[in-house]
Amino acid sequence: MTVEAKSPTLEPIPPFSGDPPNFGNLMGHPRPLWMLFMTEFWERFAFYGIRWAMVLYIVAQFKGGDPAGEKDASHLYGAYLALVYAAAIFGGYIADKLIGYQRAILTGAVIMAVGLFMLAAPTEPLFKLGLATVIVGNGLFKPIISTLVGKIYRQGDERRDSGFTIFYMGINLGAMVSPILTQALAQYVFGSDGMPAYKVVFITSAIGMVLSFIWFLFGRAALQGIGEAEGKQASNTRLAGVIALNLLIGIPMYYALLSIDAQILNWILMACFIVPAIMLVVEGIREGSMARDKVFAMLIILGFNVFFWCFFEQAGSSFTFLADKVVNRDLGFMEFPNAWFQSVNSVAIIVLAPIIAWIWVRMGKNNPSIPRKFSLGLMFNGLAFLLLMFALAKLVEPVTGKIPFWTLFAVYWIQSIGELCLSPIGLSMTTKLAPARLTGFAMGAWFLSVAIGNNLAGLFAGEASGEGGMTVASAYGAYSQGFWILMIAGAVLFLVSPLVNKLMHGVK
């Protein structure tokens, strides 16, 4: 999870040039902020409510409980996350050019809710169709809600940064609460530890998405016209056309991509990345040596960004299987639920974000550069895997054959430090380095780098489970590789940071 947004990693698009209405204040901020806060809270509740259960459900429902199915489950989960990021590119374009922001949010919320309800279907094809539907809905919703936050503040308003901090807390609170509630409903109310009612997880998440839709539908009047469809965007025919295209082309396309081999999907995503990369380089060369250098700096950092997300996004796949089979979750007075691990990152972000921000301010002119912060993010991520290596090699309990609870708990906190070093500056940095005429393509390149990382995360998680399911040996082998890859990548970026800084020409 992230300070900026629980996947996708989104920085707000700069506010529109005109001044917003003179909103009344509530708790020191424009009143619409709190409506957007709760809209996003329920959307993230819905999105993260299914995270802990997805791979476990796939194995139990579609693989007959066979541990050998863990690999396929991880691949599907990784592909799903990757396509969620990729869909944000198309959703942003649709909102900006075709139907307007408010309509995009409402349409995306409805589509996403339908997809979440579909996940409760008992067949694998319908489950994948539900995932494809969620991808389309999230692509329309997620990039736009952050944009509206930016638009309710006037240019130069000193409250804007703190407003986004409040908004991000809504994101993390939604992601923190949902695994706890959905797990309690699935295991203690409608099921048991031995047989969780996973379908309740998906239905509860869908209800959360319905609440997000209702909250925005009735609360959008507070925006006083910001984000409303204008001119041709207000055409009901155009809205119907967008919905039809998503139903007839978007959902079938994502369903097909979810159904192909994960390796093939990765080649497709990499090919998609090459297009904006080439266009950015060509435009940079056309604008001059400084713009060209900035593009090269951006592409170098985006390459390292892939490594970070490949290993960070194990939470919903291999770490879930690790917690289920290899971690001793018995705390003496209770067994720590597997689902609750999904909330640890959110708690860590809420606790650590102000501390990390204070450290950067305290360091003053010694504050690390953007590439150095990225390298620190990679290395902290690597240290988390080093702890797992140590636990799997030295701390396996003789009686249970499992590693202590605290080790995985600590891993999430260490990864969160890495995330705070890297994620908050990602897209902001990208848009600053991109040629002025192709900022949209730069944003697309960022999303695609994260998408590639997420798909690779699924492939890596499959290796961690091995052919017969997660074991101490298979986890140790994979996580050892993860440690070395992250530390080497972090060290290389740290060493080349002076060169990258030179290419950035003073961008901070």
Side-chain angles (χ1 to χ4, degrees):
M1 179 159 61
T2 65
V3 178
E4 32 27 59
K6 300 299 237 175
S7 187
T9 305
L10 294 175
E11 276 277 322
I13 297 170
F16 66 120
S17 56
D19 284 334
N22 187 19
F23 298 117
N25 288 338
L26 179 63
M27 297 177 64
H29 286 270
R31 286 183 176 275
L33 174 66
W34 305 102
M35 181 275 293
L36 296 171
F37 175 98
M38 288 306 301
T39 301
E40 180 69 348
F41 171 91
W42 285 115
E43 188 273 336
R44 289 292 90 182
F45 175 95
F47 189 86
Y48 279 89
I50 67 174
R51 192 184 196 193
W52 72 272
M54 187 182 297
V55 291
L56 297 174
Y57 175 73
I58 292 170
V59 173
Q61 181 70 22
F62 307 132
K63 306 297 179 182
D66 185 352
E70 293 178 10
K71 191 170 188 176
D72 288 341
S74 294
H75 287 181
L76 179 57
Y77 176 77
Y80 159 73
L81 274 189
L83 294 173
V84 162
Y85 280 84
I89 304 168
F90 302 109
Y93 178 85
I94 289 171
D96 196 36
K97 303 295 184 182
L98 299 178
I99 62 174
Y101 295 149
Q102 290 191 21
R103 279 184 161 191
I105 288 173
L106 292 171
T107 304
V110 171
I111 294 174
M112 192 173 169
V114 171
L116 288 165
F117 278 118
M118 290 174 66
L119 294 182
T123 67
E124 189 168 6
L126 283 176
F127 182 81
K128 286 183 179 178
L129 189 63
L131 289 179
T133 306
V134 172
I135 290 167
V136 168
N138 193 262
L140 286 168
F141 187 106
K142 189 68 191 113
I144 311 309
I145 193 76
S146 298
T147 304
L148 287 180
V149 175
K151 288 182 178 294
I152 65 176
Y153 290 92
R154 295 174 182 268
Q155 290 280 14
D157 192 328
E158 295 180 353
R159 301 173 299 169
R160 190 168 183 268
D161 285 347
S162 63
F164 270 104
T165 300
I166 293 170
F167 180 71
Y168 294 153
M169 289 306 100
I171 291 169
N172 285 280
L173 285 170
M176 178 184 73
V177 170
S178 58
I180 297 172
L181 179 59
T182 55
Q183 180 271 336
L185 291 173
Q187 291 187 210
Y188 301 138
V189 179
F190 296 100
S192 64
D193 287 339
M195 190 175 293
Y198 290 120
K199 294 177 183 179
V200 174
V201 175
F202 306 130
I203 293 171
T204 304
S205 297
I207 293 172
M209 199 64 233
V210 171
L211 291 174
S212 179
F213 169 81
I214 293 173
W215 205 281
F216 187 78
L217 178 67
F218 291 101
R220 61 184 174 144
L223 292 170
Q224 299 183 36
I226 289 180
E228 278 189 353
E230 298 178 352
K232 293 181 179 180
Q233 291 181 346
S235 166
N236 289 330
T237 302
R238 179 175 288 199
L239 176 61
V242 167
I243 294 172
L245 284 173
N246 278 303
L247 293 177
L248 299 175
I249 297 177
I251 292 174
M253 178 185 70
Y254 290 121
Y255 179 88
L257 292 173
L258 288 170
S259 301
I260 64 176
D261 183 85
Q263 294 278 10
I264 297 174
L265 176 59
N266 212 60
W267 285 111
I268 293 173
L269 292 171
M270 291 175 68
C272 291
F273 179 84
I274 290 172
V275 174
I278 292 175
M279 294 185 69
L280 287 164
V281 170
V282 170
E283 182 65 21
I285 292 172
R286 184 179 293 123
E287 291 188 9
S289 59
M290 183 179 293
R292 176 204 62 201
D293 290 350
K294 289 180 179 179
V295 169
F296 285 137
M298 178 187 67
L299 294 176
I300 290 170
I301 292 175
L302 291 185
F304 284 98
N305 191 47
V306 171
F307 288 105
F308 180 85
W309 294 107
C310 170
F311 298 102
F312 181 85
E313 282 295 351
Q314 296 303 303
S317 50
S318 76
F319 285 0
T320 296
F321 291 126
L322 187 77
D324 193 52
K325 293 186 170 183
V326 183
V327 174
N328 185 353
R329 294 181 282 116
D330 185 0
L331 303 182
F333 60 94
M334 65 171 289
E335 181 173 80
F336 191 86
N338 192 336
W340 289 15
F341 279 111
Q342 302 301 321
S343 298
V344 175
N345 173 250
S346 299
V347 174
I349 291 296
I350 293 169
V351 172
L352 295 174
I355 298 173
I356 298 296
W358 177 82
I359 290 173
W360 297 146
V361 172
R362 188 71 176 172
M363 293 182 72
K365 61 183 179 181
N366 295 318
N367 194 350
S369 64
I370 288 174
R372 282 272 161 88
K373 285 180 179 176
F374 263 74
S375 69
L376 289 172
L378 288 163
M379 288 190 276
F380 271 107
N381 201 354
L383 290 175
F385 281 85
L386 178 63
L387 175 57
L388 284 176
M389 284 174 61
F390 175 74
L392 292 164
K394 302 294 185 181
L395 301 181
V396 178
E397 299 165 357
V399 177
T400 63
K402 296 182 177 183
I403 61 176
F405 159 81
W406 68 265
T407 55
L408 183 57
F409 189 85
V411 161
Y412 279 100
W413 281 79
I414 298 170
Q415 282 193 321
S416 297
I417 297 173
E419 181 184 0
L420 287 166
C421 292
L422 177 146
S423 189
I425 61 173
L427 193 55
S428 176
M429 172 274 306
T430 302
T431 56
K432 289 176 183 176
L433 294 175
R437 295 200 312 152
L438 292 181
T439 302
F441 277 98
M443 292 169 66
W446 165 266
F447 288 134
L448 285 169
S449 73
V450 179
I452 293 168
N454 280 323
N455 191 61
L456 288 172
L459 290 167
F460 177 79
E463 295 305 310
S465 284
E467 296 299 328
M470 178 73 70
T471 64
V472 170
S474 67
Y476 178 81
Y479 294 156
S480 297
Q481 293 179 19
F483 163 73
W484 288 111
I485 292 171
L486 283 166
M487 295 306 290
I488 291 172
V492 169
L493 182 56
F494 190 89
L495 293 174
V496 302
S497 287
L499 171 61
V500 178
N501 274 328
K502 186 176 181 181
L503 292 173
M504 291 169 66
H505 291 278
V507 170
K508 297 184 182 298

